[in-house]
Amino acid sequence: MGFLQEFKIVPQIFQLETAKEFLENFQIGKNDLVFTSKFIYDKYFVDQMEGAHVLFSEDYLSGEPSDETVEAIHEDIKEVVYTRVFGIGGGTILDLSKLIALKQYMPIWDLFEGSIPREKDKQLILVPTTCGTGSEVTKISILEFKKRNTKMGMADDVLFPEYAVLVPELMSTLPYSVFATSSIDALIHATESYTSPLANAFTKMYSKEAIRIILSGYKSLAKKEIEYTSLFKDFLLASIYGGIAFGNAGCAAVHAMSYPIGANYHVPHGEANYSVFTQVYKTYQSISYGGSLKELYEYLASIFGCEELEAFAYMDDLLENIIHKRPLHEYGLTPEDVETFTDTVMTKQGRLMKNNYVELSSDVVKAIYTELL
């Protein structure tokens, strides 16, 4: 029997307008564990979650989530009894919430390596407060493993939440920089999943709609026709569309190559992805132009009103209006790092690299890093 390709949307998805509606629907209290930021809690939820055990991300995080973060959280909650986990925040909070909803998640390396059972015994409700991660509908959690100097992703059906809840009001104070990097991340999710070998008609439909919404919003921003805050509701949808697409078809080299940058130089995930995004696609184009890549270029050209092969040049110009792309040496990357990062990508990121539009050799990966120095 051949490989049966599947398409799943597991969580029930709710669209609500306000924090008040969210509280009325979910009645958070005793036996609930809430993981959020102190800022979000104080602004929207203070004194409204009586009996719940609340964790603040500020007590555990100073950058990207890591194995040390999980160990610290576990130490604080190992005696707490809870049957529901609410993750309310950005991708970091959502990814960590997936882990603490499991029956056993320590030792954390053993969980990611698959040497301890992956079982879930709590209900998981995820509420994004940025417009990029898509984590609220995926079965993926990403961690930096500090001693191993890399990021790793774990993909398993037990990580799917039961509910994904969109509440635009919770984004009302999102800083522009976070809006920009998170929404570019959503754009990259949609783009990489479109050209993945695992893409199908369903994932491509979600990818294209996410791309359309985000690029349309960016074009209006670049022309200074609107404020970025007016895009929150639409971009939350675009983010979840991108999450559905990459949750089924996967991300690829852009994410694989960004992980060492984020892990070593503490660059926000969306910004690290952005730093390599268009160069990866220009490289694909130079190796083999056809199939889903040609479809993508045609679709982008229709949005930009440009010639087909100019699509990623126009993409570069538009994204530069949203956030400046820095050369990699400004983060601290050196020619010696290029060798190390290339080795990391080729040996540790097979889960992602198998989703590339075409196979990329270590020499090609090294050339992309070098071009971006």
Side-chain angles (χ1 to χ4, degrees):
M1 180 179 175
F3 176 69
L4 181 63
Q5 197 165 331
E6 64 180 0
F7 178 80
K8 282 186 178 181
I9 303 176
V10 173
Q12 294 187 54
I13 302 171
F14 286 84
Q15 280 187 280
L16 306 174
E17 291 295 329
T18 65
K20 181 180 178 184
E21 285 181 78
F22 169 64
L23 289 166
E24 288 171 350
N25 275 275
F26 286 92
Q27 297 293 311
I28 300 171
K30 188 179 178 183
N31 294 330
D32 291 331
L33 187 147
V34 178
F35 188 31
T36 189
S37 69
K38 191 170 190 310
F39 177 82
I40 290 287
Y41 179 81
D42 287 346
K43 183 169 180 60
Y44 299 106
F45 301 122
V46 68
D47 297 329
Q48 298 183 76
M49 296 178 171
E50 187 176 351
H53 189 89
V54 182
L55 300 177
F56 294 129
S57 58
E58 292 90 342
D59 294 335
Y60 302 97
L61 291 159
S62 56
E64 295 290 302
S66 72
D67 48 351
E68 294 175 0
T69 311
V70 177
E71 289 162 2
I73 291 172
H74 177 259
E75 188 61 30
D76 285 351
I77 66 172
K78 60 186 179 183
E79 304 299 330
V80 176
V81 176
Y82 57 99
T83 57
R84 294 194 300 179
V85 174
F86 289 84
I88 306 170
T92 294
I93 287 174
L94 304 190
D95 277 10
L96 290 169
S97 297
K98 292 176 179 180
L99 302 177
I100 60 180
L102 299 181
K103 186 174 182 178
Q104 180 185 357
Y105 56 91
M106 296 295 293
I108 190 62
W109 176 255
D110 291 348
L111 179 74
F112 271 64
E113 284 282 275
S115 57
I116 60 175
R118 296 173 178 174
E119 300 174 316
K120 187 177 182 184
D121 61 350
K122 288 99 178 170
Q123 193 175 73
L124 179 62
I125 301 95
L126 297 182
V127 188
T129 61
T130 65
C131 51
T133 175
S135 184
E136 64 275 9
V137 290
T138 73
K139 61 176 182 179
I140 302 165
S141 182
I142 310 294
L143 272 188
E144 175 188 350
F145 286 88
K146 292 201 169 181
K147 291 176 185 174
R148 292 166 173 82
N149 214 30
T150 190
K151 282 187 177 182
M152 283 187 66
M154 180 175 75
D156 195 293
D157 282 3
V158 298
L159 298 181
F160 274 123
E162 279 65 41
Y163 300 98
V165 188
L166 305 185
V167 186
E169 186 190 20
L170 298 181
M171 292 177 59
S172 64
T173 55
L174 189 71
Y176 178 80
S177 62
V178 180
F179 162 82
T181 57
S182 65
S183 57
I184 284 177
D185 191 26
L187 174 65
I188 294 169
H189 289 157
T191 305
E192 286 211 283
S193 56
Y194 191 91
T195 52
S196 165
L198 297 177
N200 56 45
F202 300 103
T203 64
K204 286 183 175 182
M205 176 180 67
Y206 282 100
S207 288
K208 288 174 78 171
E209 185 61 3
I211 291 168
R212 184 196 67 78
I213 292 170
I214 294 169
L215 293 183
S216 174
Y218 282 174
K219 287 167 73 176
S220 295
L221 281 180
K223 294 174 184 174
K224 304 190 184 309
E225 295 173 345
I226 56 172
E227 293 294 322
Y228 78 97
T229 52
S230 69
L231 294 171
F232 287 164
K233 188 171 182 178
D234 285 348
F235 274 36
L236 264 179
L237 274 178
S239 176
I240 211 167
Y241 292 161
I244 290 168
F246 92 82
N248 282 277
C251 290
V254 175
H255 276 71
M257 293 184 66
S258 79
Y259 282 169
I261 298 168
N264 283 269
Y265 303 115
H266 308 293
V267 181
H269 175 61
E271 184 177 346
N273 279 337
Y274 173 43
S275 70
V276 299
F277 172 40
T278 56
Q279 191 62 34
V280 167
Y281 272 83
K282 291 171 185 176
T283 302
Y284 285 156
Q285 177 192 332
S286 70
I287 295 171
S288 177
Y289 186 65
S292 61
L293 186 69
K294 181 174 171 58
E295 289 174 13
L296 174 67
Y297 270 70
E298 290 170 347
Y299 185 61
L300 293 175
S302 72
I303 292 173
F304 291 128
C306 67
E307 295 296 319
E308 188 178 310
L309 291 177
E310 295 177 340
F312 270 86
Y314 274 72
M315 179 79 82
D316 269 328
D317 289 345
L318 179 60
L319 296 185
E320 186 66 25
N321 279 282
I322 304 305
I323 182 173
H324 173 60
K325 181 164 73 175
R326 297 166 60 185
L328 296 183
H329 73 263
E330 289 189 7
Y331 297 120
L333 200 77
T334 66
E336 291 73 27
D337 291 330
V338 168
E339 298 285 343
T340 305
F341 285 13
T342 298
D343 182 65
T344 297
V345 168
M346 300 306 293
T347 61
K348 300 279 176 47
Q349 300 299 341
R351 179 183 71 85
L352 295 169
M353 294 295 281
K354 68 181 175 60
N355 296 325
N356 292 342
Y357 167 68
V358 291
E359 185 176 347
L360 300 182
S361 68
S362 59
D363 285 344
V364 172
V365 171
K366 191 184 304 180
I368 293 171
Y369 277 132
T370 302
E371 176 70 23
L372 295 169
L373 272 178

